[in-house]
Amino acid sequence: MSNSSIEQEIRRIAERVDEFILSNINGEPLKLYEATLHYIKSGGKRLRPFLVVKCCELCNGSMDKALPIASAIEMVHNFTLVHDDIMDNDEFRHGVPTVHRCYGLPYGILAGDLLLIEAFNTVVKHGKDIGLDGNVITRLIGILAKACKELSEGQALDMEFAESKVLPEQEHYIGMINKKTASLFEASCVLGAVTAYADEPSIAKLASYGRGIGLAFQLIDDLIGVLGDSKVTKKPVGNDIREGKKTLPILIALKKSNDMQRTKILSILGAKGVEQNDILYAIDTLTRLGVEKDIRTTAESYITDAIKSLEGLSINGDNYNNRVKAKEALVSLARFIVERSR
């Protein structure tokens, strides 16, 4: 599939997911539910629901069967966004005012909590509606809970990195994003497969695929955070440098730089009142050191392994053409993730 085709398919599924969530999350008081749906209404790629749907289809399931579970994983993801923005005291997310800025801190906390509650409630309630048996529903809940535990641990590790004056080693950073980001990508794939009653070897292969593209996704996100075009990202140029985030592009740059460059980058990283010229110096230094190539090469290695995980999947039997298309979509998504610029 071409990039335009995969983006069109991502949008198609995103529309179905948004429609499902907006139709099923409602109640009083109104302000709480407005806060809860704030990011859903602002749009988004919905990559994690896309994975649920395509992994379900690949394992001989259907869009209709996957939709409630796909929507649940998006609720979990939005829960993390709302609480992350509170912890980071961010005012905007992709050009949209953050939940706690619009509705206040208490409502921000409650909105995040409600999203998490509704995610589990959706699996239970709608899992029965789509004909899943009790054992499968219990397993789906366990998968979601495990992912939530891992991403919470990953967030805590990220906070420890931020608070420490010691720079993390590359393997420690990869371990952190493995929990904070890749865990939910893996869970999305496993949820889709389990919803379709896939066999255990298939579930394991899709878990490996999800973990790999999750790592690649975060690495490219890190790259965009320091070298991304502000017109595209809706964030200031060099935003992660300004915020002092010790992401892999920064760690690689510090490792490759000479003493003068290293000292200068460290003096700029997260400094209060840093001048724009200093940010531009850091960006230029990272560019000249070839950081983008290093990050994309590392991300590409994860994508290559992820795609290899799909090669051993058997898709013979019922709905062969639909399953082939689902596999093609997963391969295209992997490529889309590593090639993206926003």
Side-chain angles (χ1 to χ4, degrees):
M1 295 177 72
S2 64
N3 275 355
S4 60
S5 295
I6 192 66
E7 288 187 85
Q8 183 178 0
E9 183 66 358
I10 289 170
R11 285 194 296 271
R12 183 181 75 85
I13 291 174
E15 288 172 2
R16 291 286 305 277
V17 168
D18 289 354
E19 180 183 355
F20 181 94
I21 294 174
L22 294 172
S23 297
N24 285 280
I25 295 184
N26 52 73
E28 298 288 345
L30 185 60
K31 184 177 179 179
L32 171 60
Y33 285 87
E34 288 178 344
T36 301
L37 296 171
H38 182 65
Y39 289 156
I40 300 296
K41 290 180 178 179
S42 71
K45 291 187 177 68
R46 314 291 185 241
L47 295 183
R48 294 153 192 83
F50 181 89
L51 288 170
V52 177
V53 171
K54 291 305 171 184
C55 287
C56 184
E57 291 178 343
L58 178 58
C59 296
N60 203 26
S62 66
M63 170 72 175
D64 289 340
K65 195 162 191 175
L67 184 58
I69 312 305
S71 300
I73 202 76
E74 185 60 27
M75 293 174 204
V76 170
H77 176 55
N78 274 258
F79 144 72
T80 68
L81 299 182
V82 173
H83 281 192
D84 279 0
D85 288 342
I86 291 171
M87 285 183 272
D88 294 341
N89 197 30
D90 286 337
E91 293 194 353
F92 291 92
R93 173 169 290 279
H94 300 306
V96 177
T98 51
V99 173
H100 67 276
R101 182 185 176 193
C102 286
Y103 298 95
L105 185 59
Y107 274 96
I109 294 170
L110 286 173
D113 292 346
L114 185 55
L115 281 161
L116 188 60
I117 293 163
E118 287 287 3
F120 285 93
N121 183 49
T122 295
V123 173
V124 174
K125 179 183 176 183
H126 293 279
K128 293 177 181 177
D129 293 342
I130 59 177
L132 298 179
D133 66 42
N135 289 334
V136 170
I137 291 173
T138 299
R139 184 172 183 180
L140 294 175
I141 290 171
I143 294 164
L144 264 185
K146 179 176 179 289
C148 290
K149 178 184 176 183
E150 282 197 44
L151 63 87
S152 295
E153 292 170 349
Q155 176 68 11
L157 287 171
D158 195 15
M159 290 164 58
E160 288 181 4
F161 289 167
E163 293 166 0
S164 175
K165 294 181 179 180
V166 179
L167 293 169
E169 295 294 329
Q170 181 169 328
E171 60 266 30
H172 294 150
Y173 186 78
I174 294 296
M176 182 273 289
I177 66 172
N178 189 42
K179 289 191 169 196
K180 183 178 178 180
T181 303
S183 60
L184 209 55
F185 277 80
E186 178 184 348
S188 299
C189 295
V190 174
L191 287 168
V194 170
T195 299
Y197 289 80
D199 57 43
E200 294 305 320
S202 296
I203 292 171
K205 287 181 174 66
L206 288 171
S208 178
Y209 164 83
R211 186 71 66 162
I213 66 166
L215 288 168
F217 176 88
Q218 186 58 58
L219 291 180
I220 299 301
D221 231 35
D222 292 344
L223 180 63
I224 293 168
V226 292
L227 299 180
D229 183 346
S230 63
K231 293 178 182 177
V232 177
T233 65
K234 309 293 186 187
K235 292 181 179 181
V237 174
N239 189 63
D240 284 3
I241 298 170
R242 184 178 286 99
E243 294 185 1
K245 293 184 179 180
K246 299 164 187 170
T247 58
L248 192 58
I250 298 295
L251 299 179
I252 289 175
L254 291 171
K255 189 173 183 179
K256 296 179 73 173
S257 60
N258 59 38
D259 289 344
M260 184 187 74
Q261 290 169 327
R262 180 183 173 87
T263 299
K264 181 67 173 177
I265 292 171
L266 287 172
S267 71
I268 295 168
L269 192 63
K272 292 182 178 179
V274 64
E275 297 290 337
Q276 183 66 9
N277 284 341
D278 288 330
I279 296 292
L280 294 176
Y281 168 85
I283 291 171
D284 181 64
T285 302
L286 264 68
T287 301
R288 286 187 286 109
L289 290 170
V291 168
E292 179 168 2
K293 181 180 178 182
D294 291 340
I295 292 294
R296 290 197 182 275
T297 298
T298 303
E300 181 67 40
S301 70
Y302 286 120
I303 291 299
T304 298
D305 289 342
I307 292 174
K308 284 181 181 177
S309 297
L310 297 178
E311 291 173 358
L313 280 164
S314 174
I315 55 176
N316 293 320
D318 296 339
N319 299 312
Y320 176 77
N321 289 337
N322 288 338
R323 297 169 77 178
V324 168
K325 288 179 181 178
K327 183 177 179 180
E328 290 174 350
L330 291 173
V331 172
S332 296
L333 178 67
R335 293 293 176 201
F336 173 77
I337 282 173
V338 81
E339 293 169 3
R340 71 196 175 95
S341 59
R342 60 194 174 110

